[in-house]
Each structure stands twice: as C-alpha cells, then as structure tokens.
Amino acid sequence: MRIMVTGADGYIGRGVVEQLLAGGHEVLACGLSPCGIEAEGLEEAVGDVFDYDFSSRPLPDAVLHLAWRNGFRHNDSSHLEDLPRHYEFVRRALEAGVPRFAAMGTMHEVGYHEGAVEDDTPCNPTTPYGVAKNALRQLTMELCRQRGAKCQWMRGFYLVSSDGRGSSIFAKLVQAARAGQEEFPFTSGRSKYDFLPYDEFCRQVVAVVTQDEVCGIVNVCSGKPVALGDYIEGFIEENRLPIRLAYGKYPDRPYDSPAIWGDDAKIRKILEQQTKRTA
C-alpha cells in the first residue's frame, strides 16, 4: 500500500513510519522536518501539511493523519484555533479522491466516563483538546460519508515510552530522573487507565491503517484498566529509575475519570486477522 502519514516527524509518527516501511509499504511522510529515516519506499514532503497539494503526487491508498500540536497540553487554545485547518485538510484530501482517511483520536474526546469506552459511548469532552478532537471526529466521519470514503478513527489511550521523548507523564518522569531529581511530584495515583507500550501502540496503529475491513472508531488500547500509581511504580522499577513518586503533591484533575479503558474487541479482531494473513 501507499500510505500518507502526516506528523511523520512527531512522537508517534516516526515509530509508525518505521513499522509501515518494515512491513513493505510505501510511505509519503509529511512533517515540518524530515523524519530522520532512510529506507526504500520512503518519500518525504517537508513543510506545513495544511498547505499540502494533493495534485502534486500520486494519491495515496490511505491518509493517516497524526499531525497535531500541543497534544499533551490539554487546555491550550491552539487545539480550537487549528480545528478549521484540520477540517479543510480532511475535506481537500477527500475531494482529491483519497479513498480512505484514518486519524488519531484520544480518550479525552469522551470526557468524564467510568468503565469501558465503546463505539457508542456518549462523548462530553471538557478540555479544548478533547473538544477539538471530538469535533474533528464528527466532521471527518460525515465528510467520508458524503464522499463515499472509508473512515478509521483511532482512539488512543495512554502511550508509554521510556526514552524521555515528548511531554507525557512518562517522559517527564524519565527527564526528572536524568536531571537528578529524587522525587517526582504526583497525584493520588488512584485513577485507572488503559496503557500501551510505545512499540505496541504503533503496531496497533499500523494494523488498523493497513486493512480496510474494520472501520469506524477503533480503540488503540490494551482493554485493561490499571491504577496510574501502580503502573508508574512498575515503570520506575522496570527502567531502574533513581526516583520515587511524591504522592499527593498535585490534586487529581477534575476532568479525569476514576477508571476508563478501551473496549478492545475491534483491535483484537484486526490483530487476529493480521496474524492469519502473515501466518
């Protein structure tokens, strides 16, 4: 397949591009800077993805839209400011004739919810990040319906990496340990979430976008709720970080759910189909 990946130079993008190329797919990598990968089958388009001209190159079999700024700053106004540009990008891609549009969503679209998140779980986001992602999901699915294109909306949960890149709590913890901090200010740690290691997260994204039988909302998840404190304690031990959690230094965020995780039925089906194809 020929797959266009936006945000290819980003936190998730690089890992996804590497796995797509390893699977023998052609990748058109779009980002503000080169993705830093040299491999057969890779073509790059460096610049603002919102200015991309779909008539300048052969159309991809699918667009995977990962580009999004300030993803870890949930209350940043840029999420709402950028929403019209994301919408126009989706519209132009579909008007150019792209047959399938895939995009990265977030658990924060759902807002406050206790339990498993399914396709029909009501969404009531409470942050600019969640509001913008939820609105783009609704708009993208409607544009795809109007154009007769397939839509895959991947709803991501907690992504875990030990390399210190990005601005997630795991990256900040690694950065603090490297800086010599002995304590890491923390919440109560009681809320339960759905966690995926970085490589597995990218593997699930690649599995979704390289097939077109399962579409709609697909949770990129483990399907298992784990207390944040317990998971991070295990992360500290596994990575031998010389730092400890200082519980209660920060209040729990009012928009965080006591326990929220993804229904993994769709992603399990996709991964099972992938295993059968490669067996």
Side-chain angles (χ1 to χ4, degrees), residues 101-161:
F101 197 96
M104 180 55 63
T106 172
M107 58 179 276
H108 294 288
E109 300 162 34
V110 178
Y112 191 91
H113 174 79
E114 292 188 55
V117 174
E118 301 175 345
D119 285 19
D120 58 354
T121 297
C123 292
N124 185 30
T126 55
T127 65
Y129 178 59
V131 168
K133 283 284 191 179
N134 188 55
L136 186 62
R137 174 184 62 82
Q138 294 172 314
L139 292 166
T140 299
M141 297 184 91
E142 176 58 19
L143 286 172
C144 285
R145 185 195 68 79
Q146 292 174 8
R147 290 283 170 180
K150 292 187 176 183
C151 179
Q152 293 166 323
W153 187 266
M154 289 170 268
R155 187 170 277 157
F157 286 72
Y158 267 84
L159 172 61
V160 183
S161 174

Side-chain angles (χ1 to χ4, degrees), residues 157-213:
F157 286 72
Y158 267 84
L159 172 61
V160 183
S161 174
S162 61
D163 60 11
R165 292 190 301 126
S167 302
S168 70
I169 189 170
F170 298 97
K172 290 176 180 177
L173 183 67
V174 171
Q175 292 162 11
R178 289 174 178 172
Q181 278 184 231
E182 295 181 354
E183 283 192 342
F184 186 79
F186 198 52
T187 63
S188 70
R190 290 192 293 264
S191 294
K192 294 183 178 182
Y193 300 118
D194 191 311
F195 302 93
L196 276 183
Y198 181 83
D199 287 345
E200 176 60 20
F201 190 99
C202 293
R203 185 174 84 93
Q204 291 194 12
V205 171
V206 168
V208 174
V209 78
T210 53
Q211 58 83 48
D212 63 1
E213 295 176 19

Side-chain angles (χ1 to χ4, degrees), residues 207-265:
V208 174
V209 78
T210 53
Q211 58 83 48
D212 63 1
E213 295 176 19
V214 180
C215 294
I217 298 172
V218 180
N219 289 324
V220 176
C221 67
S222 70
K224 301 173 183 176
V226 181
L228 180 60
D230 292 344
Y231 194 95
I232 293 184
E233 293 283 9
F235 178 84
I236 290 172
E237 182 177 354
E238 179 183 351
N239 292 282
R240 299 179 180 179
L241 299 177
I243 197 168
R244 61 182 176 274
L245 297 178
Y247 288 96
K249 293 290 184 179
Y250 292 130
D252 292 333
R253 296 180 303 193
Y255 58 86
D256 281 340
S257 308
I260 183 171
W261 65 95
D263 181 316
D264 65 343

Side-chain angles (χ1 to χ4, degrees), residues 84-102:
R85 304 187 75 197
H86 286 285
Y87 171 77
E88 284 300 312
F89 175 76
V90 178
R91 184 185 61 79
R92 289 193 300 104
L94 295 173
E95 286 185 353
V98 170
R100 182 157 52 91
F101 197 96

